[in-house]
PDB file of all heavy atoms in Angstrom:
ATOM      1  N   GLY A  70       7.650  11.053  -4.597  1.00 83.00           N
ATOM      2  CA  GLY A  70       8.717  12.036  -4.775  1.00 83.00           C
ATOM      3  C   GLY A  70       8.690  13.181  -3.777  1.00 83.00           C
ATOM      4  O   GLY A  70       9.571  14.029  -3.790  1.00 83.00           O
ATOM      5  N   ASP A  71       7.704  13.214  -2.895  1.00 88.00           N
ATOM      6  CA  ASP A  71       7.532  14.307  -1.942  1.00 88.00           C
ATOM      7  C   ASP A  71       7.759  13.780  -0.520  1.00 88.00           C
ATOM      8  O   ASP A  71       6.859  13.191   0.087  1.00 88.00           O
ATOM      9  CB  ASP A  71       6.126  14.880  -2.099  1.00 88.00           C
ATOM     10  CG  ASP A  71       5.849  16.086  -1.227  1.00 88.00           C
ATOM     11  OD1 ASP A  71       6.555  16.290  -0.219  1.00 88.00           O
ATOM     12  OD2 ASP A  71       4.899  16.820  -1.557  1.00 88.00           O
ATOM     13  N   ALA A  72       8.959  13.991   0.019  1.00 87.00           N
ATOM     14  CA  ALA A  72       9.325  13.440   1.332  1.00 87.00           C
ATOM     15  C   ALA A  72       8.393  13.945   2.436  1.00 87.00           C
ATOM     16  O   ALA A  72       8.018  13.183   3.335  1.00 87.00           O
ATOM     17  CB  ALA A  72      10.779  13.789   1.665  1.00 87.00           C
ATOM     18  N   LYS A  73       7.994  15.190   2.378  1.00 89.00           N
ATOM     19  CA  LYS A  73       7.101  15.751   3.400  1.00 89.00           C
ATOM     20  C   LYS A  73       5.741  15.047   3.369  1.00 89.00           C
ATOM     21  O   LYS A  73       5.184  14.696   4.407  1.00 89.00           O
ATOM     22  CB  LYS A  73       6.930  17.249   3.178  1.00 89.00           C
ATOM     23  CG  LYS A  73       6.106  17.927   4.236  1.00 89.00           C
ATOM     24  CD  LYS A  73       6.039  19.426   3.996  1.00 89.00           C
ATOM     25  CE  LYS A  73       5.179  20.104   5.047  1.00 89.00           C
ATOM     26  NZ  LYS A  73       5.088  21.548   4.824  1.00 89.00           N
ATOM     27  N   ALA A  74       5.210  14.820   2.167  1.00 84.00           N
ATOM     28  CA  ALA A  74       3.927  14.131   2.026  1.00 84.00           C
ATOM     29  C   ALA A  74       4.033  12.691   2.521  1.00 84.00           C
ATOM     30  O   ALA A  74       3.100  12.171   3.142  1.00 84.00           O
ATOM     31  CB  ALA A  74       3.461  14.170   0.583  1.00 84.00           C
ATOM     32  N   MET A  75       5.149  12.040   2.262  1.00 84.00           N
ATOM     33  CA  MET A  75       5.318  10.653   2.705  1.00 84.00           C
ATOM     34  C   MET A  75       5.424  10.580   4.229  1.00 84.00           C
ATOM     35  O   MET A  75       4.887   9.659   4.845  1.00 84.00           O
ATOM     36  CB  MET A  75       6.537  10.020   2.034  1.00 84.00           C
ATOM     37  CG  MET A  75       6.401   9.868   0.521  1.00 84.00           C
ATOM     38  SD  MET A  75       4.892   9.040  -0.021  1.00 84.00           S
ATOM     39  CE  MET A  75       5.175   7.397   0.572  1.00 84.00           C
ATOM     40  N   ARG A  76       6.090  11.543   4.855  1.00 84.00           N
ATOM     41  CA  ARG A  76       6.140  11.576   6.327  1.00 84.00           C
ATOM     42  C   ARG A  76       4.739  11.766   6.898  1.00 84.00           C
ATOM     43  O   ARG A  76       4.370  11.111   7.876  1.00 84.00           O
ATOM     44  CB  ARG A  76       7.063  12.688   6.810  1.00 84.00           C
ATOM     45  CG  ARG A  76       8.521  12.302   6.851  1.00 84.00           C
ATOM     46  CD  ARG A  76       9.366  13.302   7.621  1.00 84.00           C
ATOM     47  NE  ARG A  76       9.244  14.666   7.100  1.00 84.00           N
ATOM     48  CZ  ARG A  76       9.935  15.156   6.075  1.00 84.00           C
ATOM     49  NH1 ARG A  76      10.809  14.391   5.458  1.00 84.00           N
ATOM     50  NH2 ARG A  76       9.761  16.395   5.675  1.00 84.00           N
ATOM     51  N   ALA A  77       3.964  12.646   6.291  1.00 80.00           N
ATOM     52  CA  ALA A  77       2.595  12.886   6.760  1.00 80.00           C
ATOM     53  C   ALA A  77       1.754  11.616   6.630  1.00 80.00           C
ATOM     54  O   ALA A  77       0.977  11.276   7.527  1.00 80.00           O
ATOM     55  CB  ALA A  77       1.963  14.031   5.973  1.00 80.00           C
ATOM     56  N   LEU A  78       1.909  10.883   5.517  1.00 77.00           N
ATOM     57  CA  LEU A  78       1.197   9.626   5.334  1.00 77.00           C
ATOM     58  C   LEU A  78       1.556   8.652   6.441  1.00 77.00           C
ATOM     59  O   LEU A  78       0.679   8.047   7.063  1.00 77.00           O
ATOM     60  CB  LEU A  78       1.550   9.007   3.974  1.00 77.00           C
ATOM     61  CG  LEU A  78       1.178   7.528   3.805  1.00 77.00           C
ATOM     62  CD1 LEU A  78      -0.322   7.391   3.605  1.00 77.00           C
ATOM     63  CD2 LEU A  78       1.937   6.904   2.670  1.00 77.00           C
ATOM     64  N   ARG A  79       2.822   8.513   6.711  1.00 78.00           N
ATOM     65  CA  ARG A  79       3.279   7.508   7.680  1.00 78.00           C
ATOM     66  C   ARG A  79       2.878   7.854   9.109  1.00 78.00           C
ATOM     67  O   ARG A  79       2.933   6.998   9.983  1.00 78.00           O
ATOM     68  CB  ARG A  79       4.776   7.308   7.538  1.00 78.00           C
ATOM     69  CG  ARG A  79       5.094   6.611   6.220  1.00 78.00           C
ATOM     70  CD  ARG A  79       6.554   6.296   6.045  1.00 78.00           C
ATOM     71  NE  ARG A  79       6.764   5.706   4.734  1.00 78.00           N
ATOM     72  CZ  ARG A  79       7.597   6.185   3.838  1.00 78.00           C
ATOM     73  NH1 ARG A  79       8.323   7.259   4.095  1.00 78.00           N
ATOM     74  NH2 ARG A  79       7.725   5.598   2.672  1.00 78.00           N
ATOM     75  N   GLN A  80       2.441   9.065   9.343  1.00 79.00           N
ATOM     76  CA  GLN A  80       1.912   9.417  10.662  1.00 79.00           C
ATOM     77  C   GLN A  80       0.504   8.869  10.846  1.00 79.00           C
ATOM     78  O   GLN A  80       0.014   8.787  11.960  1.00 79.00           O
ATOM     79  CB  GLN A  80       1.909  10.934  10.852  1.00 79.00           C
ATOM     80  CG  GLN A  80       3.300  11.505  10.997  1.00 79.00           C
ATOM     81  CD  GLN A  80       3.302  13.013  11.102  1.00 79.00           C
ATOM     82  OE1 GLN A  80       2.317  13.677  10.813  1.00 79.00           O
ATOM     83  NE2 GLN A  80       4.417  13.570  11.528  1.00 79.00           N
ATOM     84  N   HIS A  81      -0.149   8.457   9.736  1.00 70.00           N
ATOM     85  CA  HIS A  81      -1.522   7.967   9.803  1.00 70.00           C
ATOM     86  C   HIS A  81      -1.658   6.498   9.432  1.00 70.00           C
ATOM     87  O   HIS A  81      -2.732   5.927   9.589  1.00 70.00           O
ATOM     88  CB  HIS A  81      -2.422   8.802   8.878  1.00 70.00           C
ATOM     89  CG  HIS A  81      -2.483  10.231   9.267  1.00 70.00           C
ATOM     90  ND1 HIS A  81      -3.213  10.680  10.343  1.00 70.00           N
ATOM     91  CD2 HIS A  81      -1.880  11.322   8.757  1.00 70.00           C
ATOM     92  CE1 HIS A  81      -3.070  11.981  10.466  1.00 70.00           C
ATOM     93  NE2 HIS A  81      -2.251  12.391   9.512  1.00 70.00           N
ATOM     94  N   VAL A  82      -0.610   5.909   8.899  1.00 70.00           N
ATOM     95  CA  VAL A  82      -0.654   4.513   8.480  1.00 70.00           C
ATOM     96  C   VAL A  82       0.467   3.777   9.187  1.00 70.00           C
ATOM     97  O   VAL A  82       1.609   4.211   9.155  1.00 70.00           O
ATOM     98  CB  VAL A  82      -0.466   4.386   6.938  1.00 70.00           C
ATOM     99  CG1 VAL A  82      -0.400   2.925   6.539  1.00 70.00           C
ATOM    100  CG2 VAL A  82      -1.581   5.097   6.201  1.00 70.00           C
ATOM    101  N   GLY A  83       0.131   2.678   9.828  1.00 70.00           N
ATOM    102  CA  GLY A  83       1.151   1.892  10.510  1.00 70.00           C
ATOM    103  C   GLY A  83       1.115   0.460  10.046  1.00 70.00           C
ATOM    104  O   GLY A  83       0.111  -0.020   9.525  1.00 70.00           O
ATOM    105  N   MET A  84       2.211  -0.199  10.185  1.00 70.00           N
ATOM    106  CA  MET A  84       2.256  -1.620   9.860  1.00 70.00           C
ATOM    107  C   MET A  84       3.297  -2.297  10.741  1.00 70.00           C
ATOM    108  O   MET A  84       4.246  -1.664  11.196  1.00 70.00           O
ATOM    109  CB  MET A  84       2.547  -1.858   8.376  1.00 70.00           C
ATOM    110  CG  MET A  84       3.889  -1.383   7.906  1.00 70.00           C
ATOM    111  SD  MET A  84       4.148  -1.568   6.125  1.00 70.00           S
ATOM    112  CE  MET A  84       4.407  -3.312   5.963  1.00 70.00           C
ATOM    113  N   ILE A  85       3.070  -3.561  10.983  1.00 70.00           N
ATOM    114  CA  ILE A  85       4.005  -4.366  11.761  1.00 70.00           C
ATOM    115  C   ILE A  85       4.493  -5.476  10.833  1.00 70.00           C
ATOM    116  O   ILE A  85       3.701  -6.237  10.286  1.00 70.00           O
ATOM    117  CB  ILE A  85       3.321  -4.978  13.004  1.00 70.00           C
ATOM    118  CG1 ILE A  85       2.797  -3.854  13.908  1.00 70.00           C
ATOM    119  CG2 ILE A  85       4.289  -5.876  13.752  1.00 70.00           C
ATOM    120  CD1 ILE A  85       1.907  -4.322  15.012  1.00 70.00           C
ATOM    121  N   PHE A  86       5.794  -5.540  10.641  1.00 68.00           N
ATOM    122  CA  PHE A  86       6.357  -6.557   9.767  1.00 68.00           C
ATOM    123  C   PHE A  86       6.276  -7.920  10.442  1.00 68.00           C
ATOM    124  O   PHE A  86       6.433  -8.038  11.661  1.00 68.00           O
ATOM    125  CB  PHE A  86       7.814  -6.239   9.452  1.00 68.00           C
ATOM    126  CG  PHE A  86       7.977  -4.995   8.612  1.00 68.00           C
ATOM    127  CD1 PHE A  86       8.215  -3.772   9.214  1.00 68.00           C
ATOM    128  CD2 PHE A  86       7.881  -5.043   7.230  1.00 68.00           C
ATOM    129  CE1 PHE A  86       8.358  -2.617   8.455  1.00 68.00           C
ATOM    130  CE2 PHE A  86       8.018  -3.908   6.471  1.00 68.00           C
ATOM    131  CZ  PHE A  86       8.258  -2.691   7.080  1.00 68.00           C
TER     132      PHE A  86
END
Side-chain angles (χ1 to χ4, degrees):
D71 184 339
K73 184 177 179 181
M75 295 308 292
R76 276 193 304 276
L78 164 75
R79 291 184 183 124
Q80 290 177 346
H81 298 284
V82 175
M84 64 184 285
I85 299 170
F86 293 94

